[in-house]
Amino acid sequence: MAEINIGMVTGGKVRNLSGHERGLSVREELRIDELDVAKEPVRVVIPPDLYAVTTSFFQGMFAKSVKRFGSRDAFLEHYRFDGTTSVLRQIDRGISAVLTERHNIVAA
Amino acid sequence: MRAGIPPTPAHEAISKQWVRVRFKPILLRHSPGNGSSAELLNRKRHVKNLKRDLIRKARLEKKQFSIPKRMLMARPKPSIFMDTILENRTKLWVPVLRRRRSVPIREITLKDFSFIDNPIGTLRLIREIALVEGSEISAYLHFDDDYCFDIGPYLVLSEMWSSMAPVFRGGRMLPPIQKVIWAVGLSAPLHMGLLGLRDLEDVWAFPLQRRRPPGSSNSLTRNLDPQAREKVVDRFIDEVDRWLGVGDDGLELTADGRAWIAHIIGEVLDNCERHSSPDTKDGDWSVAAFMARRVENGQPVFRCYMAFLSVGASIEESLRTCSATTREEVKRYSGRHFGQNGAPSTETLQTLFALQDGVTRDRNADSAGRGGTGLQDVIELVNILGTNSNPGRTPRLTIISGTSCIMLHGPYITGERKGGEHSARVIWCNPANSDMEPPDPAYVFDLPERFGGTLISLSFTFDPKHMIETVSG
């Protein structure tokens, strides 16, 4: 199974990750586009001291992947997150943010 | 001003010529006249005493009203806030040597100094400060609130202060406010000597944090490196843990509690960076927060205040770069309500629209179906952190941006998914929470002056027991 470690981004200097642009940069750095089409699942290691991943960061890093897989379950079948329960809940929120319907919030 | 004697400009020296000119009327009133030798001598002595008094008083007056060197060197410095709130500020700014002393000295009283509850009044006071800075030699600034009810205006003052001439020479400030100013680290940026400060009891602060000047990072891996906002978040979390230790229970944040607070601060600061400088996505921000223990109705209450400030483009200005689809929707919304009785300007309607889920100015993000959920996350957290059944202690969040003010106070403090699990969270600030109705004008309105950026000020009552139950449930 392929593996990526988000700890390489924190460098041990911060314990949270935020920012849409940051998420996009990490996606590029870790070549997530290539991992999206990898045949085997990918293990995403989240350091135990990391306590927060904002939805903006997650969307920057994985929105394209969630859209590609089309559903929460399919995405999580391919990307298997290994982190604390709290962080996994935030990953879930991130996925929900990606799946949130956009536009058409104003009646015609 | 003494009768018959013109006032002395502060820069004029007390020379022999000066004394001769000003003493002449006195001398004329005391001509030698007739009388005995003793009377003549007495008159001479009296005139000499009058002359001595004149010089002494003039020296005292000159000392009182002498212009400090720092003030003499003052020039109109650019300030986004002051230049925005005061049109033609550069033209209105009077060179120091042309300023006349006001008698009595001009005084500004800051009362109800809070954007959260008094946005219009507070902005007017900020404007008055800018006006006085450009026209007076000296003035007093009185902070007349009993407590600090919003750290936001003080953040704004700290942004302005370095660009201001040193006009303000002091004023009143009660100890509770002095404590907050000191604890949050604003006394240095505001050049304040806090003479009444004795202790910092009952105040816990997260000191002022500022992002580096925009564009100063030369790192090729700018977005891969740990970010300033992430370091701020870590420090803030540690500080809140310390606040929580305040109660007898010695609590600390749950993992979810940490995540929520980190999420909110991270989202707000990320928004500030990306949107206050739309071209570079490299804007600045400043943030400060504090908690104060106050006794209300005989009960201890922990009041928390946070403020996030970014200078530059307003929310509506930033939204102008949005996609065509978003542009069409925002125009539909603002066009539907603009001009209706009580409805605010197009700018304010569009600012309210920008708060809804999925609305982003980033065209690439929009086309990729990402982004635009951060502000609703902030609103959600504020409700979680500040959940309180007491109506006087419910959370309040006010957004000041450009000429728009949106007060997210009860009953308009919760975003709502109106169409199911994945529908967008919306908050339209009207009883039906509907985009078909205009927003309540008491909560969404135009400001009389323009604010050069965006300020998010929030307050909530921190109940450690309730928060632990809430966030871990």
Side-chain angles (χ1 to χ4, degrees):
Chain A
M1 184 187 294
E3 183 176 294
I4 56 176
N5 191 329
I6 295 191
M8 58 84 67
V9 183
T10 64
K13 293 179 181 174
V14 292
R15 292 167 283 141
N16 68 96
L17 289 171
S18 65
H20 193 101
E21 298 299 315
R22 184 138 152 80
L24 286 173
S25 295
V26 172
R27 179 180 179 85
E28 193 178 326
E29 180 72 10
L30 295 180
R31 298 182 180 179
I32 304 293
D33 279 347
E34 294 173 17
L35 293 175
D36 279 351
V37 295
K39 286 182 183 171
E40 52 187 25
V42 179
R43 183 166 171 251
V44 182
V45 177
I46 301 172
D49 65 337
L50 187 73
Y51 59 83
V53 177
T54 68
T55 53
S56 288
F57 177 88
F58 180 87
Q59 288 179 82
M61 188 172 175
F62 281 117
K64 193 174 176 183
S65 307
V66 173
K67 297 279 187 190
R68 180 192 290 272
F69 286 100
S71 73
R72 173 185 176 278
D73 290 343
F75 170 75
L76 289 177
E77 177 58 33
H78 188 75
Y79 285 100
R80 300 183 184 179
F81 290 83
D82 182 3
T84 63
T85 310
S86 173
V87 170
L88 294 181
R89 271 199 279 270
Q90 294 166 64
I91 299 296
D92 230 21
R93 281 188 65 86
I95 297 172
S96 291
V98 175
L99 296 175
T100 293
E101 291 158 13
R102 285 159 167 79
H103 302 297
N104 300 318
I105 59 172
V106 175
Chain B
M1 189 174 87
R2 290 160 293 174
I5 299 177
T8 307
H11 61 279
E12 195 172 315
I14 303 174
S15 61
K16 283 183 181 173
Q17 170 68 16
W18 181 89
V19 172
R20 200 176 300 126
V21 166
R22 275 152 185 76
F23 192 62
K24 191 175 176 183
I26 300 176
L27 198 59
L28 289 174
R29 289 201 299 271
H30 294 81
S31 57
N34 301 313
S36 64
S37 312
E39 282 172 341
L40 287 173
L41 268 174
N42 273 338
R43 199 172 286 131
K44 209 172 172 182
R45 200 178 297 127
H46 176 63
V47 165
K48 208 172 170 183
N49 286 340
L50 283 177
K51 188 175 177 182
R52 192 184 303 129
D53 280 348
L54 173 71
I55 295 172
R56 190 185 302 130
K57 281 179 186 173
R59 281 189 181 142
L60 183 62
E61 187 181 282
K62 182 177 166 60
K63 190 177 176 185
Q64 281 180 343
F65 294 105
S66 63
I67 303 179
K69 280 183 191 172
R70 289 186 306 136
M71 186 64 189
L72 284 172
M73 291 164 55
R75 300 288 182 271
K77 289 184 189 171
S79 161
I80 292 180
F81 279 125
M82 289 197 286
D83 295 340
T84 305
I85 203 170
L86 206 57
E87 276 185 45
N88 299 316
R89 174 176 168 249
T90 315
K91 287 184 185 171
L92 291 172
W93 207 92
V94 179
V96 174
L97 289 179
R98 288 200 209 141
R99 299 186 185 186
R100 287 284 172 257
R101 276 178 253 130
S102 292
V103 180
I105 293 179
R106 183 80 178 266
E107 297 181 58
I108 298 179
T109 299
L110 305 178
K111 185 77 178 160
D112 297 324
F113 199 47
S114 163
F115 282 116
I116 293 175
D117 293 315
N118 182 31
I120 291 178
T122 300
L123 203 58
R124 284 209 169 119
L125 288 169
I126 297 281
R127 185 179 188 277
E128 191 180 349
I129 290 172
L131 206 56
V132 165
E133 182 268 344
S135 60
E136 297 287 338
I137 289 177
S138 63
Y140 290 114
L141 194 59
H142 302 301
F143 295 80
D144 272 1
D145 284 326
D146 293 332
Y147 297 102
C148 178
F149 296 116
D150 177 11
I151 196 67
Y154 297 87
L155 265 191
V156 173
L157 279 184
S158 75
E159 283 292 324
M160 288 166 52
W161 214 260
S162 60
S163 300
M164 287 170 55
V167 169
F168 295 100
R169 56 195 291 179
R172 297 186 298 266
M173 185 187 285
L174 289 175
I177 295 189
Q178 292 194 35
K179 282 185 190 180
V180 171
I181 298 291
W182 177 264
V184 171
L186 285 175
S187 55
L190 293 175
H191 299 128
M192 283 182 178
L194 302 174
L195 304 177
L197 191 64
R198 296 288 177 264
D199 58 68
L200 292 178
E201 284 179 12
D202 298 333
V203 173
W204 299 268
F206 180 66
L208 172 68
Q209 310 279 312
R210 280 205 178 101
R211 185 174 186 245
R212 56 167 175 77
S216 60
S217 170
N218 296 319
S219 171
L220 294 175
T221 56
R222 181 162 70 88
N223 280 317
L224 290 176
D225 302 332
Q227 305 289 295
R229 63 174 178 271
E230 291 166 346
K231 295 174 185 171
V232 165
V233 167
D234 281 343
R235 286 198 287 269
F236 190 84
I237 292 298
D238 292 341
E239 191 59 33
V240 174
D241 263 343
R242 196 173 71 84
W243 294 2
L244 275 179
V246 164
D248 295 334
D249 306 304
L251 302 165
E252 64 176 17
L253 282 167
T254 62
D256 282 340
R258 285 170 182 258
W260 271 109
I261 294 176
H263 196 114
I264 286 342
I265 308 236
E267 289 288 357
V268 174
L269 296 184
D270 180 45
N271 264 277
C272 291
E273 285 178 32
R274 293 174 67 210
H275 304 314
S276 66
S277 181
D279 295 335
T280 65
K281 296 182 183 178
D282 191 25
D284 64 5
W285 44 254
S286 51
V287 56
F290 74 96
M291 180 174 78
R293 180 181 178 277
R294 295 175 185 157
V295 178
E296 296 173 11
N297 297 324
Q299 296 290 321
V301 176
F302 295 94
R303 294 276 186 185
C304 301
Y305 303 88
M306 295 170 63
F308 306 84
L309 174 66
S310 67
V311 180
S314 66
I315 292 174
E316 182 270 337
E317 286 168 336
S318 171
L319 192 60
R320 291 177 194 172
T321 60
C322 66
S323 67
T325 311
T326 300
R327 171 60 32 198
E328 192 272 327
E329 260 194 297
V330 71
K331 277 188 174 175
R332 195 180 331 137
Y333 174 72
S334 60
R336 178 174 291 155
H337 300 302
F338 176 66
Q340 281 196 24
N341 195 21
S345 65
T346 299
E347 176 180 346
T348 298
L349 287 166
Q350 295 186 356
T351 302
L352 178 62
F353 180 87
L355 302 187
Q356 318 308 320
D357 250 349
V359 177
T360 176
R361 69 160 193 92
D362 187 331
R363 290 183 188 182
N364 292 333
D366 198 5
S367 64
R370 48 182 164 84
T373 58
L375 283 174
Q376 284 290 335
D377 282 342
V378 172
I379 294 167
E380 202 167 311
L381 169 76
V382 169
N383 276 283
I384 290 177
L385 273 185
T387 301
N388 200 301
S389 55
N390 187 322
R393 298 177 188 173
T394 52
R396 302 195 306 286
L397 187 154
T398 296
I399 299 172
I400 307 283
S401 188
T403 56
S404 308
C405 179
I406 298 173
M407 297 172 76
L408 298 179
H409 302 190
Y412 313 126
I413 185 65
T414 311
E416 181 188 357
R417 294 186 197 273
K418 303 195 88 174
E421 184 190 355
H422 293 302
S423 62
R425 288 166 297 186
V426 293
I427 183 165
W428 297 114
C429 296
N430 55 50
N433 197 18
S434 167
D435 63 285
M436 295 298 290
E437 302 293 327
D440 189 330
Y443 295 84
V444 180
F445 50 86
D446 299 328
L447 295 164
E449 277 78 37
R450 185 164 197 85
F451 187 83
T454 298
L455 173 77
I456 297 177
S457 249
L458 64 99
S459 76
F460 54 93
T461 303
F462 196 74
D463 182 343
K465 285 182 186 171
H466 191 79
M467 200 203 94
I468 297 299
E469 286 175 12
T470 301
V471 298
S472 63

